[in-house]
Structures are given as C-alpha cells and as structure tokens.
Amino acid sequence: MTSPKPPGHVAFVTCLERPKVTEDDALLFSALSDRDAMCHAVPWDDPGANWGAYDLILLRSCWDYHKRPHEFAAWLDSLQEQSAPVLNRIEIVRWNAHKSYLLKCQEAGIRIAPTLLFRAGENEPDASLFDELECDEVVLKPAVGASAWKMMRLSRATYSEQEEEIS
C-alpha cells in the first residue's frame, strides 16, 4: 500500500513574534519534508507572505492572534477571499477563536464546565458569579485568548482582594 503524495508547498502558520515552527510541529514538518514536500514556517502577520504560493496552509502556531483579534480576522478574510487551501475551514477557526462557542456547544447538549460570558463595558463580573455558578472558585479568562493569557483564578474567600485586578 502506498501513502498519499504530500502537497508540494506547505505553510506552517506561525507569527512574527515566534516565527519558527514549534518542537511539536517540527515532527510533522520533518515528516512532510522527508516525503518531498516543501515546508515553510510563515508568520500570519508577515505583510510579505504570498499565501497563494502554498498548496496547503496549516494554522498551528499563531500564538499572538488573541492580542490582535481584528487583524487576525482580517487576515482570515483575505485567505477566504483568495480561496486559500487552509486545512481547517476558516469558519471553524473563527468560531473557535471566541469562547462563546462553548455556550453554543452547551445549547446543543454537550456538557461543558459551568460558563458565563461577560461583555466588556456591558456586564462585568462581580462577586455574584460564585452564587450563579454555585462554586467557591472560578477561572476568569478573556473570551478571545490563548493558553493562560490574562487568566485569573478567583476565590470567593479572597475576591474582595482580587477585585481590583479584574478589568
């Protein structure tokens, strides 16, 4: 049995802040290169990148997208306009970039950790969230974020001391 032929030029999407492929991505990068694919680490925010030159675009290490969500969304728009061959559908990338997708999953019957969504400037979290979620500890994180960026662990017992940090 023969393996399928890899695409010719593959972009592993990174960011200018961290332009190289990650250690994890290096495994796939190397495996594809061994099968004669031309693999490149390409920052999503590189104004000189030619996305039309790639047979496959893998969104893997866009580590700073959450710090510039409007720019990232515009970049996704440009890929969509070009009908670029992005491995994950752009609609799914957009959907997954904002934590509100968790509430949509919940509405569809998928069990998630108890979740509240706060809109900046409209409804800010306060001490009532512990009662609403029926717990003594919560995790507060931005709706658009990555890893533990701006994440806070809040405790009912120490909330008054932590309240200043929430904004």
Side-chain angles (χ1 to χ4, degrees):
M1 178 173 157
T2 60
S3 299
K5 182 181 182 283
H9 291 270
V10 179
F12 281 70
V13 180
T14 62
C15 61
L16 285 172
E17 191 177 295
R18 296 171 77 185
K20 296 183 179 180
V21 293
T22 65
E23 192 175 319
D24 289 343
D25 289 346
L27 297 170
L28 179 58
F29 191 99
S30 177
L32 288 172
S33 296
D34 288 348
R35 294 190 34 76
D36 299 325
M38 300 294 294
C39 297
H40 310 269
V42 186
W44 72 269
D45 47 351
D46 179 350
N50 177 7
W51 299 105
Y54 298 100
D55 300 305
L56 183 63
I57 299 170
L58 300 172
L59 278 69
R60 295 282 302 148
S61 303
C62 311
W63 296 120
D64 63 351
Y65 79 93
H66 59 286
K67 296 176 185 175
R68 299 179 300 159
H70 299 293
E71 289 176 54
F72 188 72
W75 176 71
L76 290 174
D77 289 343
S78 73
L79 290 179
Q80 201 160 28
E81 289 166 11
Q82 297 174 52
S83 298
V86 180
L87 184 60
N88 292 324
R89 289 192 354 241
I90 292 173
E91 298 82 22
I92 299 297
V93 174
R94 284 184 208 284
W95 180 74
N96 188 250
H98 193 282
K99 304 294 183 281
S100 60
Y101 79 88
L102 291 168
L103 299 176
K104 290 180 173 66
C105 289
Q106 185 176 37
E107 289 168 11
I110 298 169
R111 290 184 57 187
I112 64 167
T115 300
L116 298 173
L117 184 64
F118 296 96
R119 297 193 189 285
E122 290 179 28
N123 62 336
E124 299 291 329
D126 60 30
S128 68
L129 66 92
F130 297 101
D131 292 332
E132 194 168 344
L133 293 171
E134 299 177 353
C135 62
D136 292 324
E137 291 188 334
V138 299
V139 172
L140 185 66
K141 60 190 304 184
V144 177
S147 301
W149 182 71
K150 291 192 175 184
M151 184 185 85
M152 296 179 67
R153 184 175 178 177
L154 303 176
S155 167
R156 183 189 299 263
T158 60
Y159 182 79
S160 61
E161 297 162 24
Q162 296 175 298
E163 196 169 8
E164 277 185 29
E165 299 174 50
I166 300 170
S167 59

